[in-house]
Amino acid sequence: MTSGAGGSGADGNVKAALRRRLLRARAGLSAQLRGTAEQALRDAVLGLPQAQMAGTAAVYYSIGSEPGTHGLVYALWKRGTYVLLPVLRPDMDLDWASYEGPDSLRPGPRGLTEPAERPRGVGAVSRADLVIVPALAVDRRGVRLGRGGGSYDRALARVGLQVPTIALLYDGELLDEVPAAPHDQRVRLVARPEGGITRLPYELPFSSPLP
């Protein structure tokens, strides 16, 4: 479920072009490569001490060509983590409800798969010990490119500064720079199939030169 802040003017045009390029590249990935990537991402995230200690994890439930999370969601749940999945509201904000196994899911809007449990409110994500979000790309400052709806920017704004926020990417999607607006929320780590976990200098101001 990929969603992020939109843009306007030149930066908006650059973002739109970058989204199209990344989506085309993802569409060309084979099912075998996607499956291998999903397993590698699952193992990378599960190996994090923060994931092993997390009492509650907020995770997206992947669709289409997004880096897969179905195995990760199930593994977190089986190890006893309380897993929250997003529920898209009509205003494009994200509510959250608990994952209670594969049979607890139902079709949602926009082709999404959502939990059938009672929503816990938009603020539920603020109680998570680990937050895993979709992205089309992330840059080395932690700036995240979503699909332009702003859902995850609103959700990430509710997450505490010490909570690990992880974007799942394919290799090649950690970029030198992504166009950023002041309201864009950054992530603190990315996971990639071959690159593993990368921690990002999210505290750098947007005006700072890239490392």
Side-chain angles (χ1 to χ4, degrees), residues 123-142:
V125 69
S126 68
R127 299 187 287 276
D129 305 301
L130 177 73
V131 179
I132 298 169
V133 302
L136 290 172
V138 175
D139 76 14
R140 297 185 182 278
R141 302 167 297 173

mmCIF file of all heavy atoms in Angstrom, residues 123-142:
data_model
loop_
_atom_site.group_PDB
_atom_site.id
_atom_site.type_symbol
_atom_site.label_atom_id
_atom_site.label_comp_id
_atom_site.label_asym_id
_atom_site.label_seq_id
_atom_site.Cartn_x
_atom_site.Cartn_y
_atom_site.Cartn_z
ATOM 1 N N GLY A 123 -4.540 7.319 15.584
ATOM 2 C CA GLY A 123 -3.435 7.469 16.522
ATOM 3 C C GLY A 123 -2.821 6.160 16.960
ATOM 4 O O GLY A 123 -1.805 6.168 17.673
ATOM 5 N N ALA A 124 -3.377 5.024 16.543
ATOM 6 C CA ALA A 124 -2.846 3.732 16.979
ATOM 7 C C ALA A 124 -1.398 3.542 16.548
ATOM 8 O O ALA A 124 -0.612 2.896 17.244
ATOM 9 C CB ALA A 124 -3.712 2.600 16.437
ATOM 10 N N VAL A 125 -1.022 4.108 15.408
ATOM 11 C CA VAL A 125 0.353 3.954 14.919
ATOM 12 C C VAL A 125 1.357 4.581 15.879
ATOM 13 O O VAL A 125 2.514 4.166 15.938
ATOM 14 C CB VAL A 125 0.493 4.552 13.501
ATOM 15 C CG1 VAL A 125 0.368 6.078 13.525
ATOM 16 C CG2 VAL A 125 1.785 4.116 12.839
ATOM 17 N N SER A 126 0.928 5.553 16.668
ATOM 18 C CA SER A 126 1.837 6.215 17.609
ATOM 19 C C SER A 126 2.233 5.290 18.753
ATOM 20 O O SER A 126 3.198 5.577 19.474
ATOM 21 C CB SER A 126 1.194 7.484 18.171
ATOM 22 O OG SER A 126 0.092 7.165 19.004
ATOM 23 N N ARG A 127 1.517 4.185 18.919
ATOM 24 C CA ARG A 127 1.835 3.237 19.987
ATOM 25 C C ARG A 127 2.676 2.059 19.492
ATOM 26 O O ARG A 127 2.989 1.144 20.260
ATOM 27 C CB ARG A 127 0.541 2.735 20.634
ATOM 28 C CG ARG A 127 -0.278 3.863 21.269
ATOM 29 C CD ARG A 127 -1.458 3.353 22.040
ATOM 30 N NE ARG A 127 -2.533 2.864 21.194
ATOM 31 C CZ ARG A 127 -3.475 3.639 20.644
ATOM 32 N NH1 ARG A 127 -3.440 4.957 20.835
ATOM 33 N NH2 ARG A 127 -4.436 3.122 19.898
ATOM 34 N N ALA A 128 3.043 2.073 18.226
ATOM 35 C CA ALA A 128 3.852 0.987 17.674
ATOM 36 C C ALA A 128 5.321 1.146 18.055
ATOM 37 O O ALA A 128 5.836 2.260 18.170
ATOM 38 C CB ALA A 128 3.711 0.952 16.157
ATOM 39 N N ASP A 129 5.986 0.018 18.251
ATOM 40 C CA ASP A 129 7.421 0.009 18.547
ATOM 41 C C ASP A 129 8.260 -0.103 17.285
ATOM 42 O O ASP A 129 9.476 0.069 17.325
ATOM 43 C CB ASP A 129 7.750 -1.175 19.459
ATOM 44 C CG ASP A 129 6.907 -1.191 20.722
ATOM 45 O OD1 ASP A 129 6.964 -0.209 21.472
ATOM 46 O OD2 ASP A 129 6.185 -2.186 20.941
ATOM 47 N N LEU A 130 7.609 -0.416 16.164
ATOM 48 C CA LEU A 130 8.270 -0.585 14.881
ATOM 49 C C LEU A 130 7.243 -0.241 13.810
ATOM 50 O O LEU A 130 6.088 -0.672 13.896
ATOM 51 C CB LEU A 130 8.729 -2.038 14.713
ATOM 52 C CG LEU A 130 9.378 -2.447 13.399
ATOM 53 C CD1 LEU A 130 10.786 -1.860 13.312
ATOM 54 C CD2 LEU A 130 9.436 -3.968 13.273
ATOM 55 N N VAL A 131 7.645 0.560 12.812
ATOM 56 C CA VAL A 131 6.732 0.977 11.745
ATOM 57 C C VAL A 131 7.393 0.678 10.407
ATOM 58 O O VAL A 131 8.495 1.168 10.130
ATOM 59 C CB VAL A 131 6.376 2.474 11.855
ATOM 60 C CG1 VAL A 131 5.439 2.891 10.721
ATOM 61 C CG2 VAL A 131 5.714 2.771 13.204
ATOM 62 N N ILE A 132 6.721 -0.115 9.586
ATOM 63 C CA ILE A 132 7.244 -0.520 8.285
ATOM 64 C C ILE A 132 6.332 0.043 7.208
ATOM 65 O O ILE A 132 5.117 -0.210 7.214
ATOM 66 C CB ILE A 132 7.320 -2.050 8.183
ATOM 67 C CG1 ILE A 132 8.282 -2.575 9.261
ATOM 68 C CG2 ILE A 132 7.783 -2.489 6.793
ATOM 69 C CD1 ILE A 132 8.241 -4.075 9.434
ATOM 70 N N VAL A 133 6.899 0.834 6.296
ATOM 71 C CA VAL A 133 6.082 1.570 5.337
ATOM 72 C C VAL A 133 6.514 1.256 3.904
ATOM 73 O O VAL A 133 7.659 0.885 3.657
ATOM 74 C CB VAL A 133 6.171 3.095 5.583
ATOM 75 C CG1 VAL A 133 5.724 3.448 6.988
ATOM 76 C CG2 VAL A 133 7.585 3.614 5.327
ATOM 77 N N PRO A 134 5.600 1.431 2.965
ATOM 78 C CA PRO A 134 5.956 1.273 1.553
ATOM 79 C C PRO A 134 6.632 2.527 1.020
ATOM 80 O O PRO A 134 6.493 3.615 1.576
ATOM 81 C CB PRO A 134 4.600 1.061 0.885
ATOM 82 C CG PRO A 134 3.660 1.872 1.733
ATOM 83 C CD PRO A 134 4.183 1.756 3.139
ATOM 84 N N ALA A 135 7.352 2.375 -0.066
ATOM 85 C CA ALA A 135 7.982 3.505 -0.744
ATOM 86 C C ALA A 135 8.354 3.074 -2.147
ATOM 87 O O ALA A 135 8.633 1.901 -2.391
ATOM 88 C CB ALA A 135 9.233 3.982 0.002
ATOM 89 N N LEU A 136 8.339 4.022 -3.064
ATOM 90 C CA LEU A 136 8.875 3.772 -4.401
ATOM 91 C C LEU A 136 10.375 4.011 -4.440
ATOM 92 O O LEU A 136 11.094 3.400 -5.224
ATOM 93 C CB LEU A 136 8.177 4.667 -5.417
ATOM 94 C CG LEU A 136 6.709 4.342 -5.704
ATOM 95 C CD1 LEU A 136 6.091 5.420 -6.575
ATOM 96 C CD2 LEU A 136 6.585 2.980 -6.366
ATOM 97 N N ALA A 137 10.838 4.912 -3.595
ATOM 98 C CA ALA A 137 12.270 5.200 -3.475
ATOM 99 C C ALA A 137 12.476 5.971 -2.187
ATOM 100 O O ALA A 137 11.541 6.562 -1.632
ATOM 101 C CB ALA A 137 12.779 6.014 -4.669
ATOM 102 N N VAL A 138 13.713 5.976 -1.721
ATOM 103 C CA VAL A 138 14.134 6.765 -0.567
ATOM 104 C C VAL A 138 15.506 7.306 -0.900
ATOM 105 O O VAL A 138 16.305 6.641 -1.577
ATOM 106 C CB VAL A 138 14.181 5.906 0.719
ATOM 107 C CG1 VAL A 138 14.749 6.708 1.886
ATOM 108 C CG2 VAL A 138 12.791 5.374 1.075
ATOM 109 N N ASP A 139 15.797 8.533 -0.438
ATOM 110 C CA ASP A 139 17.156 9.031 -0.655
ATOM 111 C C ASP A 139 17.972 8.921 0.620
ATOM 112 O O ASP A 139 17.479 8.483 1.669
ATOM 113 C CB ASP A 139 17.155 10.439 -1.266
ATOM 114 C CG ASP A 139 16.810 11.553 -0.288
ATOM 115 O OD1 ASP A 139 16.815 11.321 0.938
ATOM 116 O OD2 ASP A 139 16.532 12.672 -0.758
ATOM 117 N N ARG A 140 19.238 9.311 0.535
ATOM 118 C CA ARG A 140 20.166 9.059 1.636
ATOM 119 C C ARG A 140 19.957 9.991 2.820
ATOM 120 O O ARG A 140 20.610 9.839 3.856
ATOM 121 C CB ARG A 140 21.604 9.104 1.121
ATOM 122 C CG ARG A 140 21.858 7.997 0.105
ATOM 123 C CD ARG A 140 23.275 7.901 -0.356
ATOM 124 N NE ARG A 140 23.419 6.854 -1.370
ATOM 125 C CZ ARG A 140 23.550 5.561 -1.095
ATOM 126 N NH1 ARG A 140 23.574 5.159 0.154
ATOM 127 N NH2 ARG A 140 23.677 4.677 -2.075
ATOM 128 N N ARG A 141 19.026 10.933 2.691
ATOM 129 C CA ARG A 141 18.604 11.732 3.839
ATOM 130 C C ARG A 141 17.399 11.113 4.532
ATOM 131 O O ARG A 141 16.978 11.597 5.579
ATOM 132 C CB ARG A 141 18.248 13.153 3.378
ATOM 133 C CG ARG A 141 19.366 13.905 2.682
ATOM 134 C CD ARG A 141 18.838 15.157 1.989
ATOM 135 N NE ARG A 141 17.872 14.823 0.934
ATOM 136 C CZ ARG A 141 17.171 15.731 0.265
ATOM 137 N NH1 ARG A 141 17.314 17.024 0.545
ATOM 138 N NH2 ARG A 141 16.335 15.364 -0.690
ATOM 139 N N GLY A 142 16.823 10.076 3.912
ATOM 140 C CA GLY A 142 15.613 9.471 4.459
ATOM 141 C C GLY A 142 14.348 9.988 3.821
ATOM 142 O O GLY A 142 13.247 9.596 4.226
#
